[in-house]
């Protein structure tokens, strides 16, 4: 008697147990497929950020009456550069000088943060010494202390050094950035130790390893910290008001507050100042966004 049997199905690498051929591909496709609701949500989120910027920019080209008109006019009825001409022609509010001061202070502060934070992070991540973990824990604990608590000690320090009403009072405080040290330390820990051990065998010292191996491999993290440090100094408002007294040494953020006081109801002029403060930051982020995303994604992988 002859019996007929059905050949058992032999799965392939692309199959998933309990599914037919191509089941794995279908499941992977379902995970990566983006539905229309996702696009709608992304569009709404983008509008939340883009619309205020566009409104600010359009207001700078309006006349004073258009900016205060009711009902509100989205587009200017008459395009004009009056706000920009007025903002740069006002001798009592030297916006161009405030802009240059902000660039100089922000760049110097950014460079100092990178130097201090990178060296401290390398010591805490690679060098072994007594009290290292305690020192790192104390450093992290300072992140939970409100920043305004340091205003008076820093002010007294700047006064003792004779740095009040100078750019050094804006550049030096905050250079020992606890977040910067923590951020770079986490990135340094993700770098394979085998690279450093190979360099040690070849006769390299710690400084050579730090400058020629660790720092080049940490470019995304360094760029990310540079952007954050630049933005922190660029947008700082309260501290410059404390330590700067001369109008010609003022930075852009507190200077714009003075501008708003001088032109309380002139919204195009106020928006023109805000545009000057926002455009350099947006350009900076567009240029380095790839490094920022890579730095954030690769940091904090190891403790």
């Amino acid at each position: 008697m002859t019996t007929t049997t059905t050949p058992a199905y032999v799965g392939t690498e692309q199959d998933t147990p309990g599914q037919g051929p191509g089941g794995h591909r279908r499941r992977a496709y379902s995970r990566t497929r983006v539905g229309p609701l996702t696009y709608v949500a992304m569009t709404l989120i983008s509008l939340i950020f883009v619309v205020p910027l566009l409104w600010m920019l359009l207001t700078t080209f309006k006349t004073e009456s258009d900016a205060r008109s009711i009902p509100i006019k989205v587009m200017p009825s008459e395009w004009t550069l009056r706000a920009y001409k007025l903002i740069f022609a006002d001798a009592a509010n030297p916006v161009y000088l405030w802009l240059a001061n902000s660039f100089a202070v922000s760049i110097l502060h950014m460079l100092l943060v990178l130097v201090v934070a990178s060296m401290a992070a390398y010591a805490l991540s690679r060098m072994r010494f007594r009290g290292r973990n305690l020192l790192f824990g104390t450093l992290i604990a300072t992140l939970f202390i409100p920043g305004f608590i340091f205003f008076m000690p820093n002010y007294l320090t700047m006064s003792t050094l004779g740095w009040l009403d100078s750019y050094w009072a804006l550049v030096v405080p905050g250079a020992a950035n606890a977040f910067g040290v923590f951020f770079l330390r986490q990135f340094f820990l993700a770098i394979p130790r085998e690279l450093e051990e190979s360099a040690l065998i070849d006769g390299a010292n710690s400084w050579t390893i730090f400058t020629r191996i660790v720092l080049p491999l940490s470019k995304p993290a360094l760029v990310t910290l540079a952007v954050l440090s630049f933005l922190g100094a660029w947008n700082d408002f309260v501290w410059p008001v404390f330590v700067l007294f001369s109008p010609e040494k003022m930075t852009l953020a507190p200077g714009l507050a003075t501008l708003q006081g001088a032109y309380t109801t002139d919204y195009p002029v106020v928006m023109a100042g805000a545009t000057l403060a926002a455009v350099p930051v947006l350009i900076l982020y567009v240029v380095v966004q790839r490094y920022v995303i890579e730095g954030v994604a690769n940091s904090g992988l190891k403790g």
Side-chain angles (χ1 to χ4, degrees), residues 101 105 158-159 161-173 239-240 242-246 249-251:
N101 292 342
V105 169
M158 296 300 102
S159 179
L161 294 174
W163 286 355
L164 292 179
D165 200 26
S166 71
Y167 298 137
W168 294 115
L170 303 180
V171 173
V172 176
W239 179 245
F242 267 69
V243 297
L244 297 179
F245 315 120
S246 303
K249 293 183 179 180
M250 196 71 68
T251 53

Side-chain angles (χ1 to χ4, degrees), residues 87 95 98 251-261 270 272-274 276-277:
I87 200 174
V95 177
W98 297 341
T251 53
L252 192 59
L256 291 178
T258 305
L259 182 68
Q260 187 173 1
V270 175
L276 291 176

Side-chain angles (χ1 to χ4, degrees), residues 77-226:
S77 58
E78 178 185 353
W79 293 79
T80 177
L81 295 176
R82 183 191 69 87
Y84 292 101
K85 294 178 181 179
L86 185 60
I87 200 174
F88 284 109
D90 190 355
N93 297 282
V95 177
Y96 61 91
L97 189 58
W98 297 341
L99 191 64
N101 292 342
S102 291
F103 270 113
V105 169
S106 300
I107 291 174
L108 290 175
H109 178 75
M110 175 191 69
L111 295 176
L112 191 58
V113 168
L114 289 179
V115 171
V116 175
S118 61
M119 296 176 69
Y122 181 74
L124 291 172
S125 63
R126 287 295 191 257
M127 298 181 179
R128 298 190 178 276
F129 53 89
R130 181 174 297 179
R132 185 185 67 168
N133 294 333
L134 177 62
L135 179 61
F136 179 68
T138 304
L139 187 70
I140 295 301
T142 61
L143 294 174
F144 300 94
I145 302 177
F148 66 86
I149 292 180
F150 299 105
F151 276 14
M152 187 54 66
N154 286 336
Y155 182 88
L156 295 177
T157 302
M158 296 300 102
S159 179
T160 302
L161 294 174
W163 286 355
L164 292 179
D165 200 26
S166 71
Y167 298 137
W168 294 115
L170 303 180
V171 173
V172 176
N177 191 302
F179 171 78
V181 175
F182 168 75
F183 183 76
L184 291 182
R185 175 186 177 273
Q186 299 305 105
F187 196 96
F188 291 166
L189 288 174
I191 298 176
R193 287 183 176 269
E194 289 77 8
L195 297 175
E196 302 176 43
E197 294 172 355
S198 300
L200 286 173
I201 295 175
D202 292 337
N205 55 27
S206 298
W207 179 255
T208 303
I209 294 173
F210 172 66
T211 55
R212 297 192 177 184
I213 296 178
V214 175
L215 290 184
L217 292 175
S218 305
K219 184 178 180 180
L222 293 174
V223 172
T224 302
L225 181 60

Side-chain angles (χ1 to χ4, degrees), residues 56-68 80-84 86-87 259 263-275:
M56 176 183 68
L57 183 61
L58 290 173
T59 304
T60 62
F61 297 106
K62 294 179 180 179
T63 61
E64 187 176 357
S65 58
D66 276 352
R68 293 183 297 177
T80 177
L81 295 176
R82 183 191 69 87
Y84 292 101
L86 185 60
I87 200 174
L259 182 68
Y263 303 96
T264 305
T265 58
D266 200 337
Y267 295 108
V269 173
V270 175
M271 291 300 178
T275 302

